[in-house]
Amino acid sequence: MRDVHCLSRSYRRVVCKLLVIGCIFSEPTLAQTQPQSATQTPLPHVAVLATGGTIAGTAANETQSTGYKSGVLTADALLKSVPSLGKVAHVSGEQVSNVGSENITNEILLKLARRVNQLLAQPDIAGVVITHGTDTLEETAYFLNLVVKSDKPVVLTGSMRPSTAISADGPSNILQAVTVAASPTARGRGVMIVLNDRIGSARFTTKTNANTLDTFRSPDDGFLGTLIDNVPHFETTVAKLQTTQTPFDVSKMDSLPEVDIVYGHQNDGGYMYDAAVAHGARGIVVAGVGAGSGSLLTLPSIKRAIEKGVIVVRSSRTGSGYIPEDPAYVGLLGDNLNPQKARILLMLALTVTNNPERVQEIFHQF
Ligand code: ASP
């Protein structure tokens, strides 16, 4: 009994010694016991999807900002042009298309939406940046704002000057866009448009000038925020429903309903509406004059379209402002969406309903 007791005591001593030695050798270093500093935290992973545009364009000389070829540089070349990206995020690049944004089709939109949703579903991806031509950037941004199923930041950016310009805006816009996409404070704010120090919402931001750097404005709602010294400062959020709050699921679609825009003007005879219906449009957006009305000469054509089940939505060619009821005119109210964004919402609305009352509700919600 005694021998057994002694044995177990000496056995316990050995185990204790081993534990002490083990503790000494495995004692955490000072750095490990303290919270990780910013430089030690692994950088967030931001995926950059390139679609083309001026940001990937090259010109014959450094002063040329028109008449250049857009969609030349690849995603990798774009990322290499911004060495300081490495301080902000771990970035990976993919080419989705390489076209001027006037050539973005519904098929490209659907492909982009699928890829963005796949990437955001990955736990290691903090956010997505899309480089895009500025001419229709707001349409892609608003489309994604309605079909992305995640609160993670999605940021579209582009440039007004080609990559070869003496003061190209592309590299700084990419850096700012990746910074916003990597930022936890950008979560839950819907799809954003970042150019020229400004952070805008996809719902309200629009291209307002054909040439100048400060072309993107947010006329009805202001900007969401501003980047100062490459730090995002957010001020507001958008009250309209977006991303995870929408009913639109395009994951299995390979086409979208045809919706055309008809531009209002003096002496408008209305035959463009007849042409749209004859071509198979399921929806027509009126880019109406002022608060979304038009020449009484157009009424017979618009009424014929509505009788055939085509959904007609009124918007304003002024580019901002709300559309009120107008007893003298016909069509649903496009809220305060400009015509190009009203077209995007009407395409998506027609994927879930043909009922005019429901479409009207959708126009007030999103
Ligand atoms: N045409 C070009 C585009 O939208 C213009 C630009 O990117 O700024 O692709």
Side-chain angles (χ1 to χ4, degrees), residues 9 15 20 34 74 84 88 94 100 131-132 150 205 223 228 243 250 270 287 302 315 327 334 357:
R9 269 177 54 191
V15 170
V20 169
Q34 287 179 341
T74 61
S84 43
V88 174
E94 276 177 46
T131 61
H132 199 289
S150 171
T205 308
F223 287 109
I228 299 162
T243 59
V250 294
I302 297 181
S315 65
E357 283 82 42

Side-chain angles (χ1 to χ4, degrees), residues 14-26:
V14 171
V15 170
C16 273
K17 269 185 193 159
L18 283 174
L19 281 175
V20 169
I21 292 166
C23 284
I24 290 167
F25 281 100
S26 68

Side-chain angles (χ1 to χ4, degrees), residues 201-278:
S201 70
R203 173 64 172 72
F204 289 100
T205 308
T206 183
K207 184 172 181 177
T208 62
N209 186 288
N211 317 108
T212 60
L213 283 193
D214 60 349
T215 176
F216 280 90
R217 300 277 167 91
S218 199
D220 277 321
D221 210 45
F223 287 109
L224 295 177
T226 305
L227 284 127
I228 299 162
D229 296 335
N230 207 42
V231 176
H233 296 261
F234 284 98
E235 302 299 342
T236 59
T237 48
V238 168
K240 300 283 185 188
L241 304 180
Q242 45 196 11
T243 59
T244 52
Q245 304 157 324
T246 80
F248 310 117
D249 178 2
V250 294
S251 57
K252 296 193 177 63
M253 290 180 194
D254 51 20
S255 66
L256 292 166
E258 181 182 329
V259 174
D260 294 313
I261 300 174
V262 178
Y263 200 87
H265 53 86
Q266 293 179 343
N267 202 47
D268 184 354
Y271 64 87
M272 297 298 276
Y273 294 93
D274 298 326
V277 175

Side-chain angles (χ1 to χ4, degrees), residues 53-55 68 70 99-102 132-136 159-160 207:
T54 298
I55 195 164
Y68 52 85
S70 57
V99 295
S101 68
E102 61 278 15
H132 199 289
T134 59
D135 291 345
T136 69
S159 77
M160 289 302 288
K207 184 172 181 177

Side-chain angles (χ1 to χ4, degrees), residues 24-352:
I24 290 167
F25 281 100
S26 68
E27 188 177 296
T29 62
L30 192 59
Q32 283 171 320
T33 55
Q34 287 179 341
Q36 285 188 311
S37 72
T39 51
Q40 289 165 327
T41 307
L43 288 173
H45 183 173
V46 173
V48 177
L49 303 182
T51 67
T54 298
I55 195 164
T58 53
N61 61 61
E62 63 182 19
T63 53
Q64 192 183 352
S65 276
T66 63
Y68 52 85
K69 190 164 165 28
S70 57
V72 176
L73 299 187
T74 61
D76 286 344
L78 284 179
L79 297 182
K80 277 198 190 110
S81 71
V82 197
S84 43
L85 277 180
K87 293 187 195 140
V88 174
H90 165 61
V91 284
S92 51
E94 276 177 46
Q95 200 76 45
V96 172
S97 63
N98 211 353
V99 295
S101 68
E102 61 278 15
N103 293 317
I104 296 280
T105 58
N106 287 353
E107 288 66 38
I108 296 176
L109 286 185
L110 291 168
K111 181 179 170 191
L112 195 54
R114 271 193 297 276
R115 189 62 189 133
V116 171
N117 276 321
Q118 276 167 359
L119 286 164
L120 294 178
Q122 287 177 215
D124 62 314
I125 295 284
V128 170
V129 165
I130 296 151
T131 61
H132 199 289
T134 59
D135 291 345
T136 69
L137 185 148
E138 67 195 84
E139 292 168 56
T140 300
Y142 186 49
F143 180 76
L144 294 174
N145 195 47
L146 296 167
V147 301
V148 160
K149 302 292 172 207
S150 171
D151 278 342
K152 293 180 185 175
V154 175
V155 182
L156 280 90
T157 193
S159 77
M160 289 302 288
R161 294 178 180 151
S163 63
T164 42
I166 189 163
S167 183
D169 49 331
S172 97
N173 286 341
I174 291 176
L175 179 63
Q176 294 186 345
V178 170
T179 303
V180 171
S183 167
T185 61
R187 280 185 79 118
R189 294 179 191 273
V191 173
M192 289 161 279
I193 294 176
V194 171
L195 284 100
N196 206 33
D197 302 339
R198 300 294 199 177
I199 309 166
S201 70
R203 173 64 172 72
F204 289 100
T205 308
T206 183
K207 184 172 181 177
T208 62
N209 186 288
N211 317 108
T212 60
L213 283 193
D214 60 349
T215 176
F216 280 90
R217 300 277 167 91
S218 199
D220 277 321
D221 210 45
F223 287 109
L224 295 177
T226 305
L227 284 127
I228 299 162
D229 296 335
N230 207 42
V231 176
H233 296 261
F234 284 98
E235 302 299 342
T236 59
T237 48
V238 168
K240 300 283 185 188
L241 304 180
Q242 45 196 11
T243 59
T244 52
Q245 304 157 324
T246 80
F248 310 117
D249 178 2
V250 294
S251 57
K252 296 193 177 63
M253 290 180 194
D254 51 20
S255 66
L256 292 166
E258 181 182 329
V259 174
D260 294 313
I261 300 174
V262 178
Y263 200 87
H265 53 86
Q266 293 179 343
N267 202 47
D268 184 354
Y271 64 87
M272 297 298 276
Y273 294 93
D274 298 326
V277 175
H279 193 265
R282 287 184 51 207
I284 299 175
V285 172
V286 183
V289 299
S293 61
S295 158
L296 295 180
L297 298 172
T298 61
L299 280 179
S301 298
I302 297 181
K303 284 180 179 165
R304 266 197 304 276
I306 294 171
E307 273 158 24
K308 287 189 174 152
V310 175
I311 305 274
V312 176
V313 174
R314 295 163 48 210
S315 65
S316 172
R317 70 175 196 177
T318 65
S320 62
Y322 283 87
I323 305 302
E325 295 280 359
D326 181 351
Y329 213 60
V330 285
L332 305 181
L333 314 179
D335 204 83
N336 61 352
L337 285 170
N338 65 25
Q340 57 272 31
K341 292 192 197 195
R343 174 183 162 270
I344 295 287
L345 182 56
L346 186 49
M347 286 195 299
L348 288 169
L350 290 169
T351 66
V352 294

